[in-house]
Amino acid sequence: MASHTLIQGFPSTYVKLGILRSSSNGVRSWGSLVCRKKKRCKPLLMKINAVINDPSHSTIDFDDPDWKIHYQEKFEECIRLPHLSDNLNVTPRHTTFSLKKRVGQVINGIDSSEEKSDYVNDDDRALLKVIKFSSPTSAGAECIDPYCNWVELWVHRAGPRKQIYFEPENVKAAIVTCGGLCPGLNDVIRQIVFTLEVYGVKEIVGIPFGYRGFVDEELTEIKLSRDIVQNINLSGGSLLGVSRGGANINDIVDRIQAKNISMLFVLGGNGTHAGTQAIHDECQKRRMKISIICVPKTIDNDILLMDKTFGFDTAVEEAQRAINSAYIEAHSAYNGIGLVKLMGRSSGFIAMHASLSSGQTDICLIPEVPFDLEGQYGVLNYLEKLMQKKGSAVICVAEGAGQDLLERSNATDASGNVVLADIGVYLQQNIKKHFKDLGIPADVKYIDPTYMIRAVRANASDAILCTVLGQNAVHGAFAGFSGITVGICNSHYVYLPISEVIKSHRLVDPNSRMWHRCLTSTGQPDFI
């Protein structure tokens, strides 16, 4: 094998295998892919760095013939679900959850009702990843080792168990919705209540206005039952109200103890999940018998390891309507430009999917893909060409895109998130200025449908997802799990430890097939 210069920051394993090489002119290559401009190589270099920087990879010796076994064992350890029995002496009992309404027929001495089980076995698993990539250079490749070997990674299947760890008549269950509004909140609340009652729980309460409801003396519990929540899914918003931030973790746990809550269901996004993990940890320290379950709520679709979160499909449906309105406005005006800003602080899933679904977007800008505004390859120059060719254009931008172009602020919101500068207004002003300087009239219509999208009722797809997530949250609580969240992986419903899904945000992969499809649909170039 020819000798190669070791590239700073990359392990020698990659160089030895000829996967990563450096030449005298600074060209970096992985396999047959050659990167001559750092920005053009960003998606691939991000993948290499992801492999290198992932702590789960740092101790792997790829020369060990059993490295895959060791990796799987480490993954299984990380994905293990926290359980009440970890630090409490708890005894299970047979479940009170049953869908059998009558005794089965006895055929040949066998009760037919016993032939089919309503329950999920504790050892059931679902595959986290299902695509076997043949090369690290395959579109969207997610490789653990330089050869992109297939490694089976299994996660816990969600659903009702035969054994439960609570006496339903002694359970006091509480539901709280945190963060901002999201389509489907009422659907999840409704299904949690329904399923709790099927188990036989009599005392179900809602905590008003997020974590604030635990400590604000002026806010009282809301009694919940099937009759109360029966029709709340017919409207958007949350029956319980929402708020960001909250109170000190110890104060929240003190109130949970004082209220004798034994099951807590928390609906929220990444920040809420992190807060819930802290509450779970404190409850464990106090050796409390409580099951704390999260249901991932974010229209941004940015929860790690999950296919999608509830509210996302509805958000995309509403967002593409905004894009279509922007197209009508732009197409009907002389030199019209429609500009739509959508939610997506760190992840551009809504902007990408809405652009694909509408089919009217000429430029889609997301946080994961850097872009230049000025210059030969910038957005403004391309916009000029679009106006000359079509006479109108539509731009869709995620709120977190292009933040490197804006003045940064150290301000944070109640959830601790950095307050982003408004990329929509920035683009609108710069587009107007650019065409004014050229002496070309441009009619820019700016649409920000954020709060309209968040407040609508869940569509059919999200309503089904909310229904199953709500039911599985209750099943997980009665099974004795705590500090977990429910989600969907490859169309299967699963349980995941909260500690694993809050390690980072889920992002759009710039090398993925879906982003490539978006580029094909818009026809846009690289803006760098």
Side-chain angles (χ1 to χ4, degrees):
M1 180 183 294
S3 60
H4 301 289
T5 304
L6 182 64
I7 300 176
Q8 184 68 29
F10 294 88
S12 59
T13 307
Y14 287 81
V15 180
K16 289 178 181 177
L17 294 174
I19 300 295
L20 184 64
R21 300 189 292 273
S22 177
S23 61
S24 57
N25 63 0
V27 174
R28 292 177 176 179
S29 68
W30 189 350
S32 61
L33 182 65
V34 178
C35 303
R36 300 186 182 276
K37 289 180 67 178
K38 186 175 181 181
K39 282 190 175 180
R40 308 280 180 183
C41 296
K42 185 173 181 180
L44 183 54
L45 296 180
M46 283 172 60
K47 286 187 175 298
I48 299 173
N49 285 320
V51 171
I52 296 168
N53 296 326
D54 188 338
S56 63
H57 298 155
S58 60
T59 58
I60 296 177
D61 178 9
F62 292 124
D63 294 327
D64 181 354
D66 294 325
W67 74 264
K68 283 204 289 187
I69 296 175
H70 300 322
Y71 183 85
Q72 287 170 323
E73 290 174 345
K74 187 174 182 65
F75 178 81
E76 288 173 8
E77 179 184 343
C78 292
I79 216 72
R80 178 186 175 277
L81 303 179
H83 196 273
L84 293 176
S85 60
D86 292 344
N87 63 351
L88 295 174
N89 184 17
V90 289
T91 303
R93 56 153 293 176
H94 190 75
T95 184
T96 55
F97 179 84
S98 176
L99 299 179
K100 295 184 177 67
K101 300 302 182 184
R102 55 179 176 269
V103 178
Q105 292 181 311
V106 177
I107 303 175
N108 297 327
I110 300 176
D111 187 346
S112 62
S113 65
E114 297 299 323
E115 294 180 1
K116 186 176 181 181
S117 174
D118 294 329
Y119 310 111
V120 171
N121 192 291
D122 281 339
D123 294 327
D124 285 359
R125 299 289 187 271
L127 267 178
L128 182 63
K129 305 292 182 182
V130 295
I131 298 178
K132 180 180 179 181
F133 295 99
S134 63
S135 165
T137 60
S138 294
E142 298 178 6
C143 303
I144 296 171
D145 73 317
Y147 287 124
C148 214
N149 278 291
W150 167 253
V151 181
E152 292 182 359
L153 302 177
W154 299 92
V155 291
H156 297 260
R157 186 184 175 202
R161 267 60 173 174
K162 284 185 178 181
Q163 302 291 326
I164 60 175
Y165 288 80
F166 291 91
E167 293 292 340
E169 63 270 19
N170 298 330
V171 167
K172 179 179 181 180
I175 308 171
V176 60
T177 54
C178 303
L181 288 180
C182 175
L185 283 169
N186 282 333
D187 300 70
V188 177
I189 294 169
R190 180 174 181 263
Q191 285 300 321
I192 290 175
V193 173
F194 283 6
T195 312
L196 284 168
E197 289 195 352
V198 171
Y199 272 95
V201 177
K202 304 299 183 184
E203 190 172 11
I204 310 169
V205 300
I207 306 299
F209 300 107
Y211 289 137
R212 185 186 305 276
F214 281 112
V215 295
D216 191 329
E217 297 295 340
E218 295 183 359
L219 299 175
T220 58
E221 297 175 348
I222 301 171
K223 183 175 175 55
L224 300 176
S225 67
R226 175 179 281 266
D227 290 340
I228 293 173
V229 303
Q230 181 69 51
N231 297 315
I232 63 173
N233 61 310
L234 300 181
S235 61
S238 169
L239 172 70
L240 306 179
V242 295
S243 73
R244 298 190 181 277
N248 179 275
I249 295 298
N250 284 316
D251 292 340
I252 293 175
V253 176
D254 286 344
R255 296 299 296 161
I256 290 173
Q257 279 187 301
K259 292 173 179 289
N260 293 315
I261 294 171
S262 46
M263 289 184 182
L264 177 62
F265 300 95
V266 185
L267 284 57
N270 275 297
T272 299
H273 274 64
T276 305
Q277 179 66 40
I279 294 172
H280 164 75
D281 291 342
E282 180 60 28
C283 289
Q284 279 200 318
K285 288 180 183 178
R286 302 188 189 188
R287 298 180 61 82
M288 296 167 56
K289 186 182 179 182
I290 180 172
S291 183
I292 301 175
I293 313 292
C294 264
V295 182
K297 171 232 72 172
T298 168
I299 64 175
D300 287 357
N301 199 34
D302 60 352
I303 303 291
L304 204 60
L305 303 179
M306 298 181 188
D307 292 352
K308 65 178 178 179
T309 53
F310 79 81
F312 173 67
D313 279 352
T314 306
V316 170
E317 185 174 314
E318 294 299 314
Q320 60 92 24
R321 290 176 183 169
I323 293 175
N324 290 343
S325 295
Y327 167 77
I328 295 298
E329 285 284 353
H331 191 67
S332 302
Y334 178 69
N335 284 346
I337 298 173
L339 174 60
V340 180
K341 185 186 75 173
L342 300 174
M343 292 189 73
R345 292 182 56 87
S346 305
S347 308
F349 287 104
I350 295 180
M352 177 175 69
H353 283 257
S355 294
L356 275 168
S357 62
S358 73
Q360 306 299 336
T361 303
D362 298 295
I363 299 173
C364 178
L365 305 173
I366 61 175
E368 297 87 342
V369 180
F371 64 90
D372 292 333
L373 198 59
E374 308 283 350
Q376 181 181 358
Y377 301 107
V379 172
L380 295 176
N381 186 61
Y382 182 65
L383 200 53
E384 279 184 53
K385 296 177 181 178
L386 286 174
M387 299 302 286
Q388 293 171 2
K389 181 179 179 180
K390 299 173 57 179
S392 64
V394 176
I395 305 172
C396 177
V397 58
E399 62 178 325
Q403 291 298 304
D404 57 314
L405 304 175
L406 306 171
E407 185 175 343
R408 293 181 178 269
S409 169
N410 293 324
T412 58
D413 61 20
S415 297
N417 300 313
V418 174
V419 176
L420 300 178
D422 196 327
I423 184 63
V425 172
Y426 179 81
L427 286 176
Q428 180 190 33
Q429 292 174 346
N430 278 271
I431 290 171
K432 286 183 175 180
K433 180 179 183 302
H434 178 77
F435 281 95
K436 183 179 180 180
D437 291 344
L438 293 175
I440 301 174
D443 191 350
V444 183
K445 298 294 197 304
Y446 176 42
I447 300 175
D448 181 354
T450 296
Y451 294 105
M452 295 175 63
I453 290 174
R454 299 195 324 176
V456 301
R457 173 189 176 186
N459 67 8
S461 175
D462 268 329
I464 294 171
L465 177 59
C466 291
T467 295
V468 183
L469 291 178
Q471 292 178 2
N472 280 328
V474 178
H475 295 320
F478 269 101
F481 300 122
S482 183
I484 69 167
T485 187
V486 296
I488 183 169
C489 293
N490 297 313
S491 77
H492 295 285
Y493 293 90
V494 301
Y495 295 135
L496 299 165
I498 295 176
S499 58
E500 289 301 302
V501 302
I502 61 175
K503 287 184 174 179
S504 65
H505 289 86
R506 177 172 177 249
L507 305 175
V508 172
D509 180 358
N511 192 44
S512 67
R513 286 293 299 124
M514 190 58 74
W515 178 243
H516 291 176
R517 293 172 185 130
C518 187
L519 296 180
T520 300
S521 177
T522 63
Q524 71 190 63
D526 293 333
F527 295 117
I528 49 177

